[in-house]
Amino acid sequence: MSILNILRYPDPRLHKVAKPVTQFDERLKQLVADMAETMYEAPGVGLAASQVDVHEQLVVIDVSETNDQLQVFINPEILWASEEKKVYDEGCLSVPGVYDGVERPAEVKVRALDVDGKAFELHADGLLAVCIQHEMDHLKGKVFVEYLSPLKRNRIKTKMLKEEREEQRQRSARR
Ligand code: NI
């Protein structure tokens, strides 16, 4: 297994639209294992393939406290979303250190395929519902900061670019 590089906002590759997965083979299983390892190591509760520069409809999530309940969603679709909405303070491994409130349906019903290509349906609420919607946005090329005001978004963009420059400077200074 290996840790994958997570793209950071505002990398334009985060805005690519993911294609459906068509091959349920060893390569897919390896990718799922690597994405899970990358998510746990970060640590985070969810990771979309788009974030590791693989533009296929694949998401891994683990909202358990014990980090032992990996859920894999391939080609996920929202079948139903509740009228009731909730605001949750979201964060993202592609936007490290930034948390802000996003309003989304409180409950969703999802259909997806597992790693063997078998279909399943799931009714989610709470953090899992937030996480599924957040990760599915990544597959459409959308990062959660796009729900925030243009002013906030620009501040975040500037902060991210500044941090990236700073890290690059430190890396080259160590050489
Ligand atoms: Ni994210």
Side-chain angles (χ1 to χ4, degrees):
M1 290 204 287
S2 46
I3 303 286
L4 307 168
N5 181 46
I6 300 176
L7 299 178
R8 280 173 100 181
Y9 185 78
D11 192 309
R13 290 171 289 180
L14 285 168
H15 303 303
K16 285 193 189 176
V17 177
K19 293 196 171 68
V21 170
T22 52
Q23 306 269 28
F24 295 83
D25 52 10
E26 277 312 307
R27 174 206 162 255
L28 181 70
K29 289 195 173 76
Q30 187 60 52
L31 177 60
V32 167
D34 289 345
M35 280 176 59
E37 197 186 5
T38 304
M39 172 182 75
Y40 288 127
E41 200 259 353
V45 292
L47 187 69
S50 316
Q51 292 176 274
V52 293
D53 203 21
V54 176
H55 302 282
E56 294 172 36
Q57 295 175 16
L58 164 60
V59 161
V60 294
I61 292 177
D62 189 340
V63 293
S64 73
E65 303 256 317
T66 41
N67 279 356
D68 58 358
Q69 292 182 38
L70 183 70
Q71 287 177 290
V72 180
F73 299 84
I74 297 169
N75 304 345
E77 302 166 67
I78 303 271
L79 299 176
W80 170 87
S82 64
E83 299 257 317
E84 192 206 343
K85 299 201 169 166
K86 266 194 185 146
V87 178
Y88 191 92
D89 246 359
E90 296 187 17
C92 179
L93 294 176
S94 293
V95 200
V98 173
Y99 299 87
D100 214 323
V102 175
E103 187 184 65
R104 300 182 187 272
E107 293 174 47
V108 287
K109 197 173 160 188
V110 187
R111 186 186 5 233
L113 303 177
D114 68 13
V115 77
D116 297 310
K118 198 167 151 272
F120 65 94
E121 287 184 11
L122 180 90
H123 187 115
D125 61 8
L127 179 58
L128 182 59
V130 173
C131 207
I132 288 172
Q133 294 176 81
H134 174 117
E135 301 310 333
M136 283 181 69
D137 274 350
H138 277 299
L139 303 180
K140 293 174 214 141
K142 188 164 180 173
V143 180
F144 87 101
V145 297
E146 288 167 67
Y147 289 100
L148 309 177
S149 70
L151 181 71
K152 272 190 182 171
R153 195 160 59 238
N154 279 325
R155 267 195 211 135
I156 293 166
K157 213 177 264 181
T158 308
K159 181 178 183 279
M160 289 297 127
L161 291 170
K162 200 178 144 202
E163 283 175 9
E164 209 174 295
R165 273 197 306 273
E166 183 61 22
E167 275 171 30
Q168 266 164 11
R169 206 180 55 78
Q170 283 174 1
R171 264 201 301 273
S172 49
R174 274 200 298 269
R175 263 186 219 126

